[in-house]
Every structure is written in C-alpha cells, then in structure tokens.
Amino acid sequence: MFEILGRFFKFCDSENRKKFYGSIVVGIFNALFMALRIAAVAFMLRGVIASARDGIPFTTDTIWLSLAIMCVSVAGGIVTRKVTSMWQCEGGYRTCAKKRIEIAEHLRYLPMGYFNQNSLGTITSVTTNTMESVGDVATRAVMMVFQGLLDTSLIIIMLFFFDWRIALVALTGFALFEFVNLFMRIAVKDVSAEKIRADTAEIGKVLEYIQGIAEVKAYNLAGKRRKELNAVIDHRLKILIKMEMRCIPVSNLQSLVAKLSGVAMMLASLHFYFGGSMDLADCSTMLVCSFMLFNALEAGGNYSALLRLIDIGVGKANEILSLPTMNIEGKSGGPAADANTDTTIEAKNVDFSYTTASNQQAASPRKIIDGISLRIPAKTTTAIVGPSGGGKTTFCHLLARFWDVDGGTVTLGGRDVRDYSMDELMKNYSFVFQNVYLFHDTIANNIRFGEPDAPLEKVIAAAKKACCHEFISKLPNGYNTVIGEGGASLSGGEKQRISIARAIMKDAPIIILDEATANVDPENERELMSAIAELTREKTVIMIAHRLKTVRSADQIVVIDKGRIAEQGTHSELAAKGGIYARFIDSRKQAVSWKL
C-alpha cells in the first residue's frame, strides 16, 4: 500500500506533492483533535463517578472543562479536516490536469508511427478516463486511508496512557484488520487491470462507432455494429460487477473484524473491572472508546481497494511519458521563417519503414521509402505524383520530420532536420492536407490557429487572400460563427479554403500541399486554385497531386513508385519518355473526355 502511494506521490509535480505531504502533517493534528474526544469523555466520567462513589462534589468547573476540551476537539477537527481535504483535492485534481497537458505536449513530439500503432481509443482513454479515475480515486483514497490509519494509531497510543492491556487488544484488532485489508488489495489486483482494459476498449469502440456512423448507415450495418458496441459495454459492466463482488466479501470481513475488535475491548474492560484491576472510570472510558476506535479505519480500509486503480493509472500515464521523442531540442535553433531563409530541401539516400503490428506481441517492418535522393531548390515548385501506396505522402512527411528516417538524411538549408528543435523546424512549414481538420471553435480562431493573438483585421486579410471572406461574411455570425467539430457544418471546398487561410496566416517559407484539390467540385476549384496561388507566391512548394493542370507547371516533377523515384524532370521531358508519367497523362485525358 505504501509503495503504491509512494509511486503516486512521485508521479505528482513538486508543488502538488507538497500539498499531499502537508495534508498528511495536518492530518496528524486532525487525529490528535479526534483523540481529544476520549480525553473529554474520560474527564467527565471521572467527575461523575467520583461524585457518586466518593461523594466528591461535582462542580460546574468539571462540566465546563470537559466541554472546552470537546469544543477544541470539534473545532480543531473541522479546521484540520477542511485543510487536509482541500489540499488533497487540489493536489489530486491539479496533478491530473497537469499530467493531461504534459501528455498532450509529449504526444506532439512523438513520431507519427506511434499513432499508427495505437488506437485513438487507447490514447483517449489514458488522457480522459484513466486520469479522471486517478484524480477522483487519489483524492478520496489518500484522504481516507491515511486519515483512518492516523486516527486509529493515535487513539491506540492514547489508550496506552489509560490501560496498556486494552491498548494491546486494540492493537491486535488493528493488525488483524490490516491483514484482512491485504487480501482486499490482492482480490482486486487483476480485476483493476481488467477494468482499465475494459474502459479503453469501450472508449475505442464508441469512437469507432461515432466516426464511422456514415458507413454504418450506408451499408445498413447499424444492428451489427450496435451489437459489437453493446457487447463491449456489457463486458465493462461485468468487470465492474466482478470488482464489486470481489470487494464485498472482504469488505464485510473487514467490518466484522473491526466490530469484533470493539467487542473484545468491551469484554476485556468489563473483565478487568469485575476482576478489580480496572476502576469504573477507566472501564467506562474504554467502553466509549471501543465504539469510536475503528470507524475511520473501516472507512479507509474500504477505499484502499481502489489504490490499485491509482497504481495502474499512474503506470499508463508514465508509459506514454517515457516514450522516446524525436530529439525535440535539436542541436541548434532553426532558421527564422522569412524571405531570406534558405529553404533548399535535400534528401540523401532516405530509407523508411512502417512497423505494423497485428497484436501486441508480433510486429513486422514494411519498407515504404527505399533509397530516395532528391534536391528541392528554394522558391521552386516540386510536384510529386505516382500510383497510390507508392510512398508520396510518407516522403513528404519525412521532409517535414513527422517521422525520423531509418537511413540517410533530410536537410533544410544544408542542415540536418534532426539538428533543429521541433518548434523551430515547424515554423518553416505550412501544410494543406486532403482531409482538412477544423476545430470546434469560431472560424476566426480556426484561421488564427497558428497565431492565437492575431487581430481580426489580419484574419480577414488572410481570408480574402484564400477566397473565403465572401462565404464567411454570409454566415449567421460571420467570423464568430462556431463550426462543428472537424468542420462538419462546412462543405469540402469551404474547409479547404479556411485551411489555406490558416496557412497564409502562418506565412511559412515552405508549403506542402497533399492532394489539396482532390475532393473539391469544379465550381469551387477555380477559387481554390486562386487561393493556392496566393499562398504559394515566392515560396518553396511541394505538392502531391493527381490533376494534370495542377502539376504541369511545376519546376520539377518527381514520380515515386514502390518507394523509389521512377522518373524525374519537367512536364515536357517526362511526357516524351513514355513512362509512368506519360501513362498518367493519357489516363487523365481519357477521364476528362469520358461521358455518360
């Protein structure tokens, strides 16, 4: 138990760790104030019994003194309990909030392969359910378990000043209680891990169902997919019930041990009283104490079953935080993103493989990029074409260091991209992807995403250059219109133009366009091409495209097939070769001339 709590305290940052340590110190004073109740009761009983037995006058001074001790106990207990509760709640919840942010920051610098190998449900579960569980459980478990131990320990210590024999009976009951509590923690050890796995599976299946709802409806699979979702939810329900059923018998046994220990204290006190070795006042005090001793311990014992959840949650978070990042600091800062920056990009003998895993135990590499060498001069346009699955997008991601290469080097301005800090490197790149993601926020905030403090005038200027000012102005609240998550309330062309406005705001010297016009209808294409022309003016441009008119004016065209450069040259040079690019031209011409 103390080992688990030690790992949790180590998991906390220094500020919140101090709150927990401070709460334990204040908790000791809380336990002392609770123990004063026994002194108040003992003082009153001694006065009453002495008056009845020995004829000693029972004065109001005795009453007032006993009441004063009780008031100090109650007032001190309220204040110290409030302080410990506040510090532990703040420590637990703020720790988990900071860890969520820390995990999010850490994820920024992980290679993209991590997200390919781990489901969204797994990542989401750690940052939501797991951290929430740690926050909720930690504040209660630490508070109740420690306070139960402190209260009971101090009362037992106080009992030694009254009668060491009764104190030993209480200490034996305390030891038996902790022995049974050990079985409680053992009983839920494996079930706690099952619960975390069930939480993860449920979140993953819910996300999958929601994200794929269009396909589910289109293929009339609502019943089948709902059954799968219900099965995951039912499984988690069974795990929760299983956990409760494991805890209930041991919890009842704990309670029985606590109650029997109180009974043993009562019987021992009466035995010693009738045997003449304990006076009536001490016997009466011990009888009262037997009802008070194990209350806090019993409550804390039940919460100790949840300590395993804290341990697993901490382990899950640390597992992500221990993943090696992509050398985010680099060896030196990158060049500033301005007109004078040398944005020549060069790939030399680049190799790269994905690691695909069908399960946790088996993983095999799949080579995607095989010895590619390419030079992209500054302020030129390079078009990358080729068959689907040939490695075009992956190669562009390597140029921007979304992944680190397995072999060879990628340089920017003559310097290895791994020598830059990640933040400085990313200042040099803007991206417009085929699948645009917009956040559930205002249009203005989506456009100023890379420059949060930019004034609205700058946002509007970027929107005008991206040819989206007109349709934004027609929306109910203009630039303050809140769009749905992922931009669900906008058309594909509108989302693309907003993403281009976002890239214009960033004004990076290198632009990577990944099928930016693939999903755009002819009516929007002219405006979108105008927006792209504005975005790419005086920039180094790398574009992945399948549309002939998009690539034919490029300074160089690179054909990537099966992870290698199959052809390279200008439009006219490649068209005359009769290779892959020439076939690409012919197929596009046939597609354009096709009529229904």
Side-chain angles (χ1 to χ4, degrees):
M1 178 176 69
F2 290 104
E3 183 181 357
I4 292 174
L5 291 171
R7 279 197 292 269
F8 173 71
F9 291 150
K10 187 177 179 181
F11 180 71
C12 300
D13 61 285
S14 59
E15 179 184 351
N16 290 303
R17 191 183 305 126
K18 289 177 182 177
K19 287 184 180 294
F20 276 108
Y21 289 160
S23 72
I24 293 172
V25 173
V26 176
I28 294 173
F29 287 99
N30 178 261
L32 287 171
F33 283 122
M34 293 299 102
L36 279 178
R37 293 177 296 177
I38 297 175
V41 170
F43 194 78
M44 178 66 74
L45 288 174
R46 285 183 183 279
V48 171
I49 292 171
S51 176
R53 183 185 59 195
D54 304 326
I56 299 174
F58 185 72
T59 65
T60 56
D61 292 341
T62 303
I63 297 174
W64 286 114
L65 183 57
S66 180
L67 180 61
I69 295 173
M70 186 63 74
C71 287
V72 169
S73 173
V74 172
I78 290 173
V79 172
T80 52
R81 177 57 62 91
K82 179 183 177 181
V83 171
T84 56
S85 298
M86 288 300 299
W87 283 358
Q88 288 178 357
C89 285
E90 288 177 4
Y93 289 122
R94 287 180 177 174
T95 290
C96 293
K98 287 186 176 181
K99 286 298 176 181
R100 283 192 180 100
I101 295 171
E102 188 178 340
I103 290 171
E105 286 295 311
H106 194 78
L107 291 174
R108 286 178 56 203
Y109 301 109
L110 291 180
M112 294 297 293
Y114 171 78
F115 302 97
N116 292 343
Q117 296 170 35
N118 294 271
S119 72
L120 183 60
T122 301
I123 300 168
T124 305
S125 180
V126 173
T127 55
T128 55
N129 267 20
T130 303
M131 285 295 95
E132 183 178 359
S133 178
V134 169
D136 287 342
V137 173
T139 54
R140 290 168 175 79
V142 174
M143 187 189 311
M144 299 300 290
V145 171
F146 262 115
Q147 204 58 52
L149 291 172
L150 288 172
D151 286 359
T152 306
S153 299
L154 284 173
I155 291 175
I156 290 175
I157 291 172
M158 182 172 284
L159 290 180
F160 275 100
F161 291 96
F162 284 91
D163 193 296
W164 63 269
R165 297 167 299 179
I166 302 301
L168 287 178
V169 173
L171 188 60
T172 302
F174 178 71
L176 285 173
F177 184 93
E178 288 303 313
F179 180 72
V180 174
N181 184 254
L182 174 63
F183 285 96
M184 167 87 81
R185 298 194 294 273
I186 293 173
V188 300
K189 185 176 182 179
D190 58 332
V191 186
S192 297
E194 287 183 48
K195 178 190 178 296
I196 297 293
R197 288 194 295 269
D199 289 344
T200 302
E202 183 181 62
I203 289 178
K205 186 59 69 175
V206 169
L207 287 172
E208 179 187 273
Y209 185 84
I210 294 172
Q211 291 173 335
I213 194 68
E215 284 74 15
V216 169
K217 289 183 176 181
Y219 290 93
N220 196 28
L221 293 173
K224 179 182 177 182
R225 305 304 294 184
R226 190 171 62 249
K227 285 181 181 178
E228 292 178 1
L229 177 61
N230 290 344
V232 171
I233 293 172
D234 289 342
H235 175 67
R236 181 171 179 271
L237 174 63
K238 290 177 181 177
I239 295 298
L240 292 174
I241 293 173
K242 181 180 178 181
M243 191 171 184
E244 289 295 324
M245 294 306 294
R246 288 277 186 91
C247 289
I248 288 172
V250 186
S251 177
N252 289 337
L253 183 58
Q254 276 187 160
S255 181
L256 181 62
V257 168
K259 299 296 188 291
L260 290 178
S261 297
V263 171
M265 287 176 62
M266 294 173 64
L267 293 176
S269 299
L270 292 172
H271 172 74
F272 294 139
Y273 169 69
F274 288 116
S277 60
M278 179 184 289
D279 63 28
L280 181 59
D282 285 346
C283 178
S284 301
T285 302
M286 294 301 101
L287 292 178
V288 173
C289 188
S290 66
F291 288 97
M292 300 167 52
L293 179 61
F294 293 101
N295 289 339
L297 184 65
E298 194 174 345
N302 290 331
Y303 272 96
S304 67
L306 301 176
L307 291 176
R308 180 61 181 164
L309 289 177
I310 298 177
D311 196 34
I312 294 174
V314 168
K316 289 280 186 181
N318 284 335
E319 187 179 328
I320 292 180
L321 293 171
S322 65
L323 291 170
T325 58
M326 298 172 64
N327 186 23
I328 61 176
E329 295 300 329
K331 295 180 181 177
S332 60
D338 59 35
N340 299 317
T341 298
D342 179 10
T343 55
T344 298
I345 301 172
E346 190 167 1
K348 298 177 182 177
N349 300 315
V350 169
D351 291 322
F352 180 75
S353 299
Y354 285 132
T355 300
T356 57
S358 56
N359 54 55
Q360 295 291 335
Q361 289 74 37
S364 58
R366 182 168 62 94
K367 197 158 195 176
I368 304 297
I369 303 299
D370 187 6
I372 288 183
S373 294
L374 176 65
R375 187 173 186 274
I376 301 173
K379 297 183 181 180
T380 63
T381 298
T382 297
I384 299 178
V385 299
S388 296
K392 304 183 297 296
T393 298
T394 300
F395 181 64
C396 287
H397 286 170
L398 291 172
L399 296 181
R401 208 192 169 202
F402 280 20
W403 290 277
D404 277 331
V405 298
D406 295 334
T409 58
V410 175
T411 62
L412 170 63
R415 187 183 301 159
D416 194 313
V417 293
R418 289 169 292 194
D419 290 345
Y420 297 102
S421 71
M422 284 297 295
D423 290 337
E424 288 298 323
L425 181 66
M426 284 300 105
K427 288 179 182 178
N428 295 285
Y429 291 90
S430 284
F431 304 88
V432 180
F433 297 112
Q434 176 181 353
N435 298 317
V436 177
Y437 190 89
L438 300 179
F439 296 89
H440 183 65
D441 203 340
T442 64
I443 288 180
N445 285 341
N446 269 281
I447 293 175
R448 60 162 69 98
F449 186 72
E451 194 178 342
D453 299 324
L456 183 60
E457 293 77 15
K458 192 173 181 180
V459 172
I460 294 173
K464 287 180 177 178
K465 290 179 180 179
C467 302
C468 54
H469 174 71
E470 185 178 348
F471 85 79
I472 294 173
S473 299
K474 293 178 181 178
L475 294 172
N477 296 308
Y479 284 86
N480 291 320
T481 300
V482 176
I483 57 179
E485 185 178 353
S489 56
L490 300 176
S491 70
E494 290 169 342
K495 288 193 290 186
Q496 285 284 10
R497 278 178 275 164
I498 288 177
S499 73
I500 291 173
R502 186 157 61 190
I504 289 173
M505 279 282 291
K506 187 177 182 183
D507 195 28
I510 302 170
I511 311 296
I512 296 181
L513 305 170
D514 188 355
E515 298 282 12
T517 63
N519 296 327
V520 179
D521 53 73
E523 290 78 9
N524 282 317
E525 186 175 6
R526 180 178 301 174
E527 289 186 331
L528 189 59
M529 293 305 296
S530 174
I532 290 174
E534 183 65 37
L535 170 66
T536 58
R537 186 176 299 160
E538 294 297 313
K539 308 287 188 183
T540 301
V541 181
I542 304 165
M543 62 170 67
I544 300 171
H546 286 125
R547 300 197 180 196
L548 184 58
K549 62 173 122 180
T550 307
V551 302
R552 67 188 308 161
S553 59
D555 296 298
Q556 67 171 333
I557 298 170
V558 179
V559 181
I560 295 181
D561 183 27
K562 297 178 181 177
R564 296 171 178 261
I565 294 180
E567 296 175 346
Q568 183 176 351
T570 63
H571 170 75
S572 57
E573 290 171 348
L574 296 181
K577 282 186 177 181
I580 295 175
Y581 186 76
R583 293 195 296 272
F584 165 76
I585 295 173
D586 291 338
S587 64
R588 292 303 177 272
K589 287 180 178 178
Q590 291 174 15
V592 170
S593 62
W594 186 84
K595 294 181 180 179
L596 184 63

